[in-house]
Amino acid sequence: MGKDVEVGNEYSLKDYQDPPPAPFIDPEELGQWSFYRAIIAEFVATLLFLYVTVLTVIGYKSQTDPHVTGTDACGGVGILGIAWAFGGMIFILVYCTAGISGGHINPAVTFGLFLARKVSLVRAIMYMVAQCLGAICGCGLVKAFQKAYYVRYGGGANELADGYSKGTGLGAEIIGTFVLVYTVFSATDPKRNARDSHVPVLAPLPIGFAVFMVHLATIPVTGTGINPARSFGAAVIYGKDKAWDDQWIFWVGPFIGAAIAAIYHQFILRAGALKALGSQRSNA
């Protein structure tokens, strides 16, 4: 089992070497079928994610609506069930697509991995476009199947809850996304797999649990975005002004949280700054 060894300002590993960073712009990707296959996988995964989770949200609201005869205020899956739906779907979809596209299913995750030079700019942009289109199509399917319920119960759109300031909502999105993206980096860290290979790590499981736990904490505040595609797709199909009033929170917050997670993991936990300094001194 390899161990980290610090010698003065040098930082080395006995049996592990970081893979090279992804090119900032890689035009060769555009000629590879694997690139387009990954984009299709991101589109389909995000579509399925929104379809199942938004249906769960609308189903819960329809089962507990006090204005409808025969409903039970204590019925439905509850916040716990909604959180399980989001976390469980992420677990399933990351497991299914990790070997094809990396299983991002979230522009904030893609952005964090881009900052860490895990994906190229071209791939990051195309992933984000595919994710947003997938989210729109997923919500569109929900509306097509349950149009009356979809409009009546808000279409699963993220909105800042009454009693909370925009700053509180933004902070909740930043911290929630930080938890998610930090978990993604830790669960997929190749150094950890090389050094602790005796400990089997199923990456989709902690990622799904991170989504589950964040939803438990922030559903009462913002409905839990932490995924700009999820918030954008629901707002586009719902189409009401209220869904767009605070839409910026569900983009700015996740992107800031993802950036902080990338910097924290790569430059503090992985000592990226120390290794860069050692490389510069060696070249000098």
Side-chain angles (χ1 to χ4, degrees):
M1 182 175 69
K3 294 294 184 182
D4 296 345
V5 180
E6 291 193 36
V7 181
N9 286 325
E10 297 291 331
Y11 191 93
S12 62
L13 287 171
K14 291 181 179 179
D15 62 355
Y16 177 79
Q17 187 174 13
D18 278 318
F24 184 73
I25 298 177
D26 187 4
E28 293 183 1
E29 286 184 319
L30 298 176
Q32 299 172 350
W33 164 241
S34 60
F35 174 68
Y36 298 100
R37 182 179 61 187
I39 293 172
I40 294 171
E42 286 293 309
F43 170 83
V44 172
T46 313
L47 183 155
L48 295 175
F49 176 60
L50 267 294
Y51 174 73
V52 171
T53 55
V54 171
L55 268 180
T56 302
V57 172
I58 293 174
Y60 164 67
K61 289 184 177 181
S62 67
Q63 290 172 329
T64 57
D65 187 350
H67 300 100
V68 177
T69 304
T71 58
D72 182 2
C74 297
V77 297
I79 290 180
L80 183 64
I82 293 174
W84 271 121
F86 278 88
M89 279 303 293
I90 286 296
F91 167 65
I92 293 168
L93 295 171
V94 171
Y95 179 82
C96 291
T97 61
I100 302 171
S101 66
H104 297 192
I105 321 173
N106 185 335
V109 171
T110 300
F111 180 65
L113 293 174
F114 166 69
L115 293 180
R117 299 293 300 276
K118 305 294 186 182
V119 296
S120 69
L121 177 62
V122 173
R123 184 176 291 265
I125 291 174
M126 293 303 295
Y127 272 21
M128 291 181 190
V129 171
Q131 290 155 0
C132 289
L133 291 176
I136 292 171
C137 292
C139 292
L141 283 177
V142 177
K143 185 174 182 179
F145 294 156
Q146 296 194 8
K147 186 172 183 179
Y149 283 166
Y150 188 90
V151 174
R152 182 186 304 170
Y153 298 114
N158 287 120
E159 299 171 0
L160 186 63
D162 295 336
Y164 293 98
S165 67
K166 294 182 186 298
T168 300
L170 181 63
E173 289 296 306
I174 291 173
I175 296 172
T177 311
F178 173 85
V179 172
L180 169 60
V181 179
Y182 173 41
T183 304
V184 170
F185 274 107
S186 299
T188 61
D189 188 348
K191 184 178 105 172
R192 177 178 180 178
N193 293 335
R195 190 179 65 179
D196 301 330
S197 57
H198 65 290
V199 180
V201 178
L202 183 60
L205 186 59
I207 295 171
F209 264 105
V211 172
F212 167 67
M213 298 304 294
V214 170
H215 273 76
L216 286 181
T218 58
I219 283 176
V221 183
T222 61
T224 308
I226 67 171
N227 184 334
R230 174 260 186 274
S231 303
F232 179 70
V236 167
I237 299 301
Y238 183 52
K240 304 295 184 181
D241 290 341
K242 190 175 182 181
W244 291 105
D245 289 343
D246 302 310
Q247 181 69 199
W248 67 273
I249 291 176
F250 303 104
W251 284 86
V252 175
F255 274 38
I256 292 176
I260 295 173
I263 293 170
Y264 174 63
H265 185 269
Q266 294 297 106
F267 291 96
I268 297 179
L269 298 187
R270 291 295 308 277
L274 186 59
K275 288 187 282 187
L277 178 60
S279 177
Q280 289 177 355
R281 291 184 174 180
S282 297
N283 293 336

